[in-house]
Amino acid sequence: MTLEEVVKHVNGTVLTGEVSLTREVEYGFSSDLMSDVLTLLDDNILLITGLSNNQAVRTAEMSDIHQILFVRGKMPDKGMIQMAKEHGITLIATSYSMFRTSGILYNAGLPYIY
Amino acid sequence: MTYSYDVQAKNFTRAGAVSSEFKKELKKLNLPSALIKRIIIALYEGEVNVVAHSYGGSITCTISSESVIITIQDTGPGIPDIALAMKEGFSTASDEVREMGFGAGMGMANMKKNSDSLHITSAEGKETRIDLSFLLTFEEGT
Ligand SMILES: Nc1ncnc2c1ncn2[C@@H]1O[C@H](COP(=O)(O)OP(=O)(O)OP(=O)(O)O)[C@@H](O)[C@H]1O
Ligand SMILES: [Mg+2]
């Protein structure tokens, strides 16, 4: 699934400026627990989280995760957006809940891990 | 080549800065990305633990032709029961730490899983020292 499709499915907003949305994501993973995210070995993961502090962006950076979808209207601050841009991480926000977001993307065919 | 960094306790704005810096150094070498990821995740877990659970400390990373050796050292309060701390799910993290997305009790187990060797020296009221090593493999054709 491309990032563009992800954005469309969840009626999302891209927060990291004009970035290419043609990138493919292979898996979705929903969690607010960063040490759980840090156990993932797969590549091209879409991280879906309600945790909007800079450790979410740090965790993505360390785990080679290139896209984070913040749910339930959680908005990363300027510092996080800056940090994400520096590391080529695309940030997307949706007003939908974690459950709804995950359900929609799962239904649309985005594979899970575990 | 040895790199030394300081880590401040309780400073979650800066938590991860050391791992981020060292990741840049590793990326200059021709290492497989999966290996870099293992090293950096173990380092980041250790760095966050120093921020979250200790009075602060320092990290040294040494790169040689065969290995990366990381030493994470803090000034206390120490780990009373290391075997218990290693167990998945055991955590004494504060609410503040949990709000940052940590405190699942998975970090130490993840450091062990990602490293080729892990050695912990600590005791109640003492400093904690964690030695991690990673054997290097290089990309083909270099
Ligand atoms: N540097 C340290 N100094 C003192 N205690 C520590 C230190 N590192 C870990 N601990 C203790 O070991 C426990 C387990 O650590 P571990 O990293 O596995 O989990 P956590 O940090 O609590 O949560 P997580 O890493 O999943 O976010 C901690 O809760 C803490 O009690
Ligand atoms: Mg930890």
Side-chain angles (χ1 to χ4, degrees), chain B residues 52-105:
Chain B
H53 309 299
S54 89
Y55 305 145
S58 61
I59 295 178
T60 46
C61 306
T62 303
I63 305 174
S64 72
S65 54
E66 298 100 43
S67 65
V68 167
I69 308 281
I70 297 178
T71 302
I72 304 168
Q73 198 150 17
D74 65 45
T75 53
I79 304 175
D81 184 338
I82 295 172
L84 185 61
M86 289 296 302
K87 264 182 82 174
E88 269 189 44
F90 176 82
S91 176
T92 62
S94 64
D95 287 346
E96 189 196 359
V97 169
R98 288 174 202 277
E99 270 165 33
M100 298 309 297
F102 290 92

Side-chain angles (χ1 to χ4, degrees), chain A residues 34 38 53-55 61 64, chain B residues 12-13 15 20 23 44 101 110:
Chain A
M34 293 304 110
L38 288 164
N53 62 48
N54 61 352
Q55 293 310 309
E61 178 196 347
D64 297 330
Chain B
F12 274 99
T13 313
S20 185
K23 187 176 184 182
Y44 180 51
N110 207 20

Side-chain angles (χ1 to χ4, degrees), chain B residues 45 49 53 107:
Chain B
E45 293 277 18
N49 277 356
H53 309 299

Side-chain angles (χ1 to χ4, degrees), chain B residues 125-138:
Chain B
K126 293 277 176 13
E127 56 277 2
T128 296
R129 177 186 166 131
I130 298 183
D131 293 287
L132 293 161
S133 74
F134 305 84
L135 302 175
L136 296 190
T137 51
F138 290 86

